[in-house]
Structures are given as C-alpha cells and as structure tokens.
Amino acid sequence: MPRGRLPITDLKAACDIEHMSSTSKIQHDLWPLDEIDPKKAKFPCCLVWTPLPVASWLAPFIGHVGICREDGAILDFSGSNFVNVEDFAFGAAARYIQLDRSKCCFPPNLAGHTCKHGYQHAEYGTAVTWDDALRSSVRQFEHKSYNLFTCNSHSFVANFLNRLCYGGSMDWNMITVAALILFKGHWVNSMSIIRSFLPFTVVLCLGLVLVGWPFLVGLFSFSLLLMGWFLLGTYCVKTLLES
C-alpha cells in the first residue's frame, strides 16, 4: 500500500466514529421536557387543535391548529403577518398530540442529515433544534397573508414539520397535518369534546326541525365541497395552497 494512504476500512471506521459523534451531540441536546399541563396551556413539543367558530359548527373536523415550543408555549398563525405566542386564538386547546423529537432531522451541516432528503431538506431550510425551526417558520409567516382556504394555521404547522423533515417526510401539508391531529390526537378533557361537538349537534338538530332532510343534504354537500377544495389544492393544483 502506498505511503500516506489509509486503508479503506480505516477510512470507513473514521467516518462511522464521526457520524456517531455528530448523532450523539444532537441527541444530547434533546433535554427532558416538562409535563403537559392543560390548565396552564403548556404542551411541550405538541401539535394542538381547537374548533373554529361557525366553521366547526357546520363541519366539526375543521379547526385551528398550533405548534408548541419545548417549554410548552403555543404558537399559531392566526392572521395576516401575525403569529400568536402563548395566546391560542379561538379558545383553549381541545386536542393535542406530543411529537417525538427523535423523529426530527437536526443536521449540523450538509453531511449530518439523518433523513433521506439531504439536499431537498437543505434547500427548504433546516434547523439545529426544535425551537430554532419554530423561529424560522415564524419569521417566514410574519410576512404571509392569512386566508382560511389557502394559507392558514395548518400551513404554518406544515412548514414547521417540513423544516424538521419530521418522520423522514418532506411532504407535510394541510391534509396530513389535519389527519395527524384528528386521528392520533388526544382530547384534553371531556369538556373539550362537548365544546367541539355541541354547537354542531345543536345546528344539526335545528336544521332538521326547521328545514328537514334538505338541510342534512346541504350540510353534507358543504363538507364534501370543503374537503374537495383542500384535496384539489394539495394534490392536484399545488400552487393553490401554502405549505
């Protein structure tokens, strides 16, 4: 073997050691989180959801979402050029799901990606910590116009999750964010369930009494149109919606 050259096995071992060192450093930064405390509105590293006035009365699967810092403070995109901090718009959180920071990609450099989307992730924008990713998303959405149908709170959360390449995916959007909280989220308490479904139940009963079955058909059609719009904008005409 020529002088000055290391065997391939030695080079591989050195790379493995460097990768392990980088990974252990990232893991070291994942300090323990405080307990979830709904009374104080503290949900560390959680995705939270609350019903929207009027919209949720007609379609209870529609709601407003926020994402929480490591200290539990809720951040949500609730108006043009405005991100709420510790003042969740439209009421207290009704559902939540705590996300796993070990499923995030925190690359210290281009070679430190733990996801399979290194270049795409780097081009989109990366972060070295959970809160760092939140700060980047906040800066971006402080210059966005809010629109319930094209750029809303789900867009803000999707942008954040893509910035972390959460779960190894760069395909987070309004639909996947809504599905995550609706199918895997936990109710905060029994009152949250009542607050989420009571208005819809009242509207449904009144509609059936005053209008009859045509009201039910109209309500069902409204829900289908709403879901169709978001599905169309997410998967067919991708320039319609912000994510």
Side-chain angles (χ1 to χ4, degrees):
M1 182 179 64
R3 290 184 177 180
R5 292 189 179 181
L6 291 172
I8 294 177
T9 53
D10 290 351
L11 286 173
K12 185 177 184 302
C15 289
D16 289 343
I17 291 172
E18 183 178 355
H19 175 73
M20 289 173 63
S21 175
S22 175
T23 303
S24 63
K25 182 180 183 301
I26 296 299
Q27 293 297 327
H28 177 70
D29 291 337
L30 303 180
W31 55 80
L33 299 174
D34 292 334
E35 293 292 327
I36 294 172
D37 189 351
K39 292 182 179 179
K40 295 182 179 179
K42 296 295 184 182
F43 298 86
C45 293
C46 287
L47 170 59
V48 293
W49 177 94
T50 194
L52 275 172
V54 182
S56 297
W57 302 352
L58 303 175
F61 56 86
I62 296 295
H64 181 75
V65 296
I67 195 75
C68 304
R69 293 190 312 224
E70 289 177 306
D71 65 1
I74 302 173
L75 283 77
D76 63 298
F77 179 56
S78 56
S80 295
N81 311 315
F82 180 68
V83 177
N84 263 326
V85 180
E86 292 195 277
D87 186 20
F88 198 27
F90 310 112
R95 289 174 73 87
Y96 70 93
I97 177 173
Q98 189 166 49
L99 303 179
D100 186 353
R101 289 175 298 170
S102 66
K103 294 183 179 180
C104 302
C105 178
F106 298 121
N109 49 56
L110 189 59
H113 282 267
T114 57
C115 64
K116 297 179 180 180
H117 307 281
Y119 289 104
Q120 182 187 357
H121 191 194
E123 185 178 3
Y124 189 92
T126 62
V128 293
T129 66
W130 179 278
D131 287 352
D132 180 47
L134 255 179
R135 284 189 290 269
S136 297
S137 292
V138 167
R139 283 195 295 269
Q140 181 174 344
F141 275 76
E142 282 177 338
H143 303 283
K144 297 279 187 183
S145 296
Y146 183 92
N147 187 300
L148 180 63
F149 297 101
T150 58
C151 183
N152 56 37
S153 60
H154 292 70
S155 306
F156 173 66
V157 174
N159 177 276
F160 169 74
L161 294 177
N162 283 326
R163 201 173 292 279
L164 293 178
C165 196
Y166 184 75
S169 173
M170 291 287 297
D171 296 320
W172 290 98
N173 52 55
M174 291 187 189
I175 300 295
T176 52
V177 168
L180 178 63
I181 187 65
L182 290 178
F183 293 117
K184 294 188 176 181
H186 307 284
W187 292 105
V188 171
N189 50 41
S190 56
M191 186 55 66
S192 299
I193 302 175
I194 296 172
R195 184 163 60 90
S196 299
F197 289 103
L198 181 60
F200 170 74
T201 304
V202 171
V203 169
L204 181 61
C205 293
L206 285 175
L208 287 174
V209 170
L210 299 176
V211 180
W213 290 106
F215 177 81
L216 188 61
V217 173
L219 197 62
F220 182 69
S221 300
F222 170 76
S223 296
L224 281 181
L225 285 172
L226 207 56
M227 288 190 291
W229 165 260
F230 287 114
L231 287 170
L232 178 70
T234 299
Y235 298 109
C236 298
V237 188
K238 297 186 177 181
T239 55
L240 279 178
L241 307 182
E242 184 76 33
S243 61

